[in-house]
Amino acid sequence: MPRKIAAGNWKMHGDSASLAEIDALIATHPTPAVEIVICPPATLIHRMVCHIGAHPIAVGGQTCHAAVKGAHTGDIAAPMLAEAGATHVILGHSERRTDHGESDVIICAQARAAFAAGLSVILCVGETEAQYTARQTQAIVAAQLTQSLPQDATPTRLVIAYEPVWAIGTGLVPQNHEIAAVHGAIRGILHERLGAAGAAVPILYGGSVKPENAAMIFGIANVDGALVGGASLSAAAFSPIIHALENA
Ligand code: PEP
């Protein structure tokens, strides 16, 4: 069975005052029954790791470079994330694909670097609104997953996040049967690529997950958790999502 994961993507939000949200999460979830991962801006990673101490909340980066070091102004290498205390990294988020032109080839190289640094990879795939309307969702997701997943991926440190681009930050969510179809197809590809180990890779849904819809989404086949943007910024909104996953 795949692990259940509630992951928060803070994007370019958060400063030292935001660590109070971590205190609130720890107080509400002293012994969580699911994995909790928070991916803050890079400036907060080390402070957040120190703040969390022995509690099992994990901390992740939001991207990494494919190289371990070099002349890449503004970038961050996977071993740097690991040294800062991160255990995870989000790769292939649609905002990175759009804002920074990250292709599947680049994302594959980043993933290889992240695995080499000992990080767990939360690999994002998902179609745009135009692709959704053109009924290309399955083809786009299959192509992204196939091309961005390294041949030597470490299955025990791999997490997939299906994030329809048109559902991110919009309040829109695909219908249950649409999520089920995409997650089922992803599971099939993971089986093909990783053999039996593919059955244990968590597949998260991401895109406007809120306290109000979390339980319904977690009831869908092959949904093993969520990658949450806006609602992960406050413990008041993220906690009910974590509880819904614990009870799913
Ligand atoms: C995201 O950016 O990964 C995301 C899912 O955002 P939101 O939950 O705000 O839609």
Side-chain angles (χ1 to χ4, degrees):
M1 282 287 284
R3 293 148 13 243
K4 292 183 182 179
I5 302 175
N9 173 14
W10 281 16
K11 313 191 184 192
M12 202 169 70
H13 298 287
D15 52 24
S16 43
S18 314
L19 295 174
E21 302 301 329
I22 299 299
D23 293 331
L25 278 182
I26 290 172
T28 315
H29 306 273
T31 53
V34 299
E35 288 186 23
I36 303 172
V37 186
I38 303 290
C39 301
T43 49
L44 272 184
I45 289 175
H46 186 62
R47 262 186 295 173
M48 190 176 283
V49 168
C50 296
H51 203 77
I52 289 168
H55 190 275
I57 292 178
V59 178
Q62 298 176 9
T63 186
C64 70
H65 199 277
V68 294
K69 60 181 175 182
H72 303 291
T73 303
D75 278 314
I76 186 160
M80 294 171 179
L81 289 176
E83 194 195 24
T87 51
H88 293 64
V89 62
I90 298 170
L91 295 177
H93 192 280
S94 65
E95 287 150 18
R96 296 294 307 179
R97 291 176 188 263
T98 304
D99 296 354
H100 299 271
E102 292 181 359
S103 64
D104 290 329
V105 172
I106 291 172
I107 294 158
C108 185
Q110 293 170 336
R112 205 171 286 121
F115 285 126
L119 298 172
S120 291
V121 171
I122 301 173
L123 183 60
C124 301
V125 293
E127 81 285 1
T128 63
E129 185 177 13
Q131 292 162 339
Y132 172 75
T133 306
R135 299 180 179 277
Q136 295 170 340
T137 298
Q138 293 273 357
I140 294 295
V141 167
Q144 288 178 340
L145 183 55
T146 308
Q147 290 164 28
S148 57
L149 188 59
Q151 286 299 337
D152 54 354
T154 309
T156 51
R157 286 193 276 111
L158 176 64
V159 179
I160 306 297
Y162 168 53
E163 298 208 306
V165 181
W166 53 273
I168 294 176
T170 60
L172 301 172
V173 177
Q175 294 181 46
N176 290 7
H177 72 88
E178 295 176 309
I179 297 176
V182 176
H183 280 235
I186 291 172
R187 179 69 67 208
I189 293 170
L190 292 172
H191 271 297
E192 278 170 29
R193 286 287 294 270
L194 305 170
V201 173
I203 306 174
L204 313 185
Y205 168 77
S208 297
V209 176
K210 307 285 178 211
E212 300 74 35
N213 61 19
M216 183 188 72
I217 291 170
F218 296 147
I220 300 171
N222 283 308
V223 174
D224 305 307
L227 178 55
V228 184
S232 72
L233 293 173
S234 78
F238 199 37
S239 272
I241 295 173
I242 295 169
H243 280 311
L245 185 59
E246 288 177 322
N247 294 326

